[in-house]
Amino acid sequence: MSQTASPDLLKKSGLAKKLVVANWKMHGNLEKNKVLLAQYIAALSGLKQTKIVVCAPYPYLAQLQQLLQHTNISWGAQNIAKNAEGAYTGEVSAAMLKDFGCEYVIVGHSERATAYCESDENIAQKFVQAKQHGLTPILCVGETLIEREAGLMELVIGKQLDTIIAQHGAAIFADSIISYEPIWAIGTGLAATPIQAQAMHKFIRNKIASIDKEAASRLKILYGGSINPQNALQLLVVSNVDGGLVGKCSLEAQGFEKICAAADMAN
Ligand code: 13P
């Protein structure tokens, strides 16, 4: 029988605090980022209940470090090498991300997994690299529309998680982040319904809890896929939704601010 983490346990561990992560994807330039970050700082510095993270393209990590270091906003990258060091042209290691003050890194985003043929095994290696170097991985999992229509979402996500569990046990999910990102919801304007999100987040938490209850209670599970100011609150109040991973609506300060305010309200 599967075990679930009690809400009390979550509160005690501080995990009740919501997390909103901006995934800028391949957007921005030095000038635009400067303006957007100044707007983020002005709008979000008052938030007490919600943790904010910005994940930017590699070349701008130094800029994030410079502009965010004395603020309540943390930063991270959108990808990481699966190896620690060596002859891997074009790759960026976990230690390099640490050099620029990154605390977080997105791992296995579906836009990379499909375009660059990242296997579940490669993604598992990247996840472990992040953990070994003290970065918090944000592991993206999710199903395609065809898989959802065939009722295969639990099977697909279960397999993505099993690859990591088989190599490193479920304990590795303690103090990690999983983002449920249905592929059909990313960039389409069609977010999962709160009921769909609730079911998948519960499945993910229960799966980890069935092996390691403590790890499950220390895991944050975000929702990602067409979050916007209109749907943010209804998604973020759902049980087992610990925050959001926001693409398009993080590129414009007003919308992002509204999503963060919804998260603060949902705490
Ligand atoms: P959108 O918010 O643009 O749908 O992107 C979601 C996403 O991919 C976050 O990682």
Side-chain angles (χ1 to χ4, degrees):
M1 205 174 73
S2 70
Q3 302 165 299
T4 44
S6 76
D8 280 354
L9 192 60
L10 294 179
K11 276 222 161 67
K12 230 186 289 166
S13 68
L15 285 175
K17 195 168 171 169
K18 302 278 183 195
L19 175 70
V20 180
V21 181
N23 176 8
W24 283 359
K25 307 191 179 184
M26 199 174 73
H27 293 286
N29 59 47
L30 283 173
E31 221 20 69
K32 273 194 197 164
N33 300 349
K34 193 173 159 191
V35 173
L36 185 56
L37 290 171
Q39 291 171 333
Y40 274 16
I41 293 165
L44 304 173
S45 60
L47 290 183
K48 294 274 178 283
Q49 296 296 317
T50 304
K51 173 99 191 130
I52 313 292
V53 177
V54 181
C55 290
Y58 292 139
Y60 302 121
L61 294 177
Q63 187 186 27
L64 296 192
Q65 185 175 34
Q66 188 197 359
L67 297 178
L68 296 178
Q69 62 181 333
H70 300 302
T71 72
N72 62 338
I73 304 172
S74 299
W75 62 95
Q78 300 170 8
N79 184 33
I80 184 177
K82 64 177 180 171
N83 300 101
E85 190 178 19
Y88 304 106
T89 304
E91 292 293 279
V92 174
S93 73
M96 292 169 187
L97 298 184
K98 294 284 286 185
D99 266 350
F100 290 91
C102 291
E103 291 176 59
Y104 296 84
V105 60
I106 295 171
V107 172
H109 194 286
S110 60
E111 285 160 6
R112 292 198 55 78
T114 38
Y116 305 101
C117 306
E118 287 191 355
S119 64
D120 287 347
E121 287 71 22
N122 281 3
I123 291 165
Q125 280 177 276
K126 292 178 175 206
F127 187 91
V128 172
Q129 275 298 313
K131 293 294 278 187
Q132 284 176 345
H133 288 83
L135 289 160
T136 302
I138 303 170
L139 173 73
C140 298
V141 298
E143 78 284 355
T144 62
L145 188 58
I146 291 173
E147 288 162 345
R148 172 157 284 270
E149 284 174 350
L152 297 174
M153 47 281 185
E154 292 191 359
L155 202 78
V156 170
I157 291 165
K159 182 174 165 288
Q160 291 171 330
L161 299 178
D162 279 338
T163 310
I164 294 178
I165 295 168
Q167 289 178 26
H168 306 283
I172 200 161
F173 286 107
D175 307 319
S176 299
I177 299 169
I178 294 175
S179 187
Y180 170 56
E181 300 213 314
I183 294 169
W184 47 270
I186 296 175
T188 60
L190 185 75
T193 65
I195 290 172
Q196 288 171 325
Q198 183 171 32
M200 296 314 297
H201 282 234
K202 186 173 172 202
F203 166 75
I204 293 167
R205 180 95 60 202
N206 284 354
K207 179 167 175 67
I208 306 298
S210 69
I211 311 166
D212 190 326
K213 199 172 173 205
E214 166 74 11
S217 74
R218 289 167 50 191
L219 164 72
K220 273 196 194 300
I221 309 175
L222 310 182
Y223 169 77
S226 294
I227 299 187
N228 61 42
Q230 289 73 43
N231 64 21
L233 186 60
Q234 54 172 346
L235 284 163
L236 294 170
V237 291
V238 165
S239 61
N240 284 309
V241 175
D242 302 315
L245 184 51
V246 185
K248 186 164 172 256
C249 287
S250 69
L251 299 174
E252 180 270 308
Q254 265 194 350
F256 190 59
E257 180 189 351
K258 287 188 184 137
I259 292 168
C260 295
D264 226 33
M265 221 184 289
N267 269 298

